[in-house]
Amino acid sequence: MTFSGVYVPLITPFDADGSVALDALEVLAREVLAGGAAGLVALGTTGEPASLSADEQRAVLDVVTRVCRDGNAALVVGANSVEALRALRERPGVDAALSLVPPFLRPGEDGVVAYFEALAAASPVPVLVYHVPYRTGQPLSAAALRRLDAIPGVAGVKLAAGGIDAATVELLADPPAGFAVLGGDDAFVSPLLALGAHGGILASAHVATDRFAELVRAWAAGDAVRARAVGHALAGLALALFAEPNPTVIKGVLHAQGRIPTAAVRLPLVPAATHSVEAALKHL
């Protein structure tokens, strides 16, 4: 399948007793699909998967799989090991896996390519590379991204370089056919779309989902005047939503809107300050 449009990496809402609020998760997932999202990401970093037990992860994936099936929407699952990818064989309905460039080790471009060759060989579904060098410590050149594209089973990249870097410009100046480039830096997604990206995996699209979908459509249609206006507004919203560690402000906004039962996060995250949530709400 072709990966384009807006994908929402779902938060994991928690009840007052600290348990996963599965009912709220289902309602939220259905709301963002109704708002125009092309698909959902389950157990991505926005969903705090490292803080969830194996049973909680399974329950979250059950809910999101059902919602995507009912809505005929794409389902992407965060999976960062051969074992996690192989486990997807037992999960019909998953369209792709989102796998992080190995963090901390900085294995070099050859190591990254070899790593994704192993992941793609083990995966029953296409793999999307999550490239976020300011978190992983591993930069990738445009040439390395093209090498990743050449791996059978690698379908695209979530590109979160912290802005529009030289590798991004070079890649999109001559994009590989069939290789999806999805923005992952919410505040920079509009200029990335202007360069030719296919969409975005955007935590900010929990709110104003319809506006993010409109932004993608406007750039795809070549309506630069409309796209710039929408993009400028959404960049301000995204910066406000990321004023504190993700997804703390987003959860604060969703709770203030009555869409999730609490704004709780799990350690090492702590809830966003009230002023950060209020500042984000002003953009809505």
Side-chain angles (χ1 to χ4, degrees):
M1 66 178 297
T2 301
F3 296 95
S4 61
V6 174
Y7 294 78
V8 179
L10 289 169
I11 59 119
T12 302
F14 299 117
D15 279 318
D17 63 2
S19 62
V20 176
L22 294 173
D23 289 345
L25 174 65
E26 179 166 353
V27 171
L28 182 65
R30 294 187 186 279
E31 285 175 348
V32 297
L33 289 182
L40 304 175
V41 180
L43 303 179
T45 51
T46 299
E48 304 172 72
S51 73
L52 304 180
S53 69
D55 286 344
E56 288 173 329
Q57 290 186 8
R58 283 190 290 269
V60 165
L61 194 46
D62 286 343
V63 168
V64 183
T65 300
R66 181 172 64 251
V67 171
C68 285
R69 182 187 63 235
D70 292 348
N72 194 29
L75 171 59
V76 179
V77 177
N80 296 305
S81 68
V82 167
E83 293 75 15
L85 286 162
R86 285 176 175 162
L88 297 180
R89 297 183 188 277
E90 309 301 320
R91 284 282 179 178
V94 176
D95 295 291
L98 180 64
S99 301
L100 184 66
V101 169
F104 185 77
L105 296 174
R106 295 193 294 181
E109 292 185 345
D110 288 346
V112 171
V113 171
Y115 176 76
F116 276 97
E117 286 174 341
L119 291 188
S123 179
V125 296
V127 173
L128 298 171
V129 176
Y130 185 6
H131 177 43
V132 53
Y134 55 87
R135 295 183 184 271
T136 65
Q138 177 61 63
L140 293 175
S141 64
L145 291 168
R146 294 183 194 282
R147 290 173 65 190
L148 291 169
D149 164 60
I151 299 171
V154 171
V157 60
K158 177 183 177 181
L159 197 58
I164 308 297
D165 64 358
T168 299
V169 173
E170 184 179 343
L171 179 71
L172 288 173
D174 183 21
F179 187 67
V181 176
L182 302 172
D185 286 315
D186 297 26
F188 297 105
V189 71
S190 186
L192 194 66
L193 291 165
L195 287 172
H198 303 89
I201 299 177
L202 307 170
S204 299
H206 280 87
V207 298
T209 313
D210 57 340
R211 297 281 280 168
F212 280 99
E214 179 186 4
L215 177 67
V216 174
R217 290 194 302 271
W219 279 120
D223 186 353
V225 173
R226 181 61 181 159
R228 288 193 191 103
V230 176
H232 287 165
L234 291 179
L237 171 63
L239 289 171
L241 291 171
F242 278 79
E244 297 192 35
N246 184 48
T248 60
V249 180
I250 290 172
K251 281 191 163 184
V253 168
L254 293 173
H255 177 54
Q257 293 177 325
R259 297 172 66 191
I260 58 175
T262 74
V265 291
R266 289 182 177 173
L267 292 172
L269 296 174
V270 295
T274 300
H275 65 82
S276 294
V277 176
E278 291 174 346
L281 285 166
K282 289 180 180 177
H283 285 271
L284 298 173

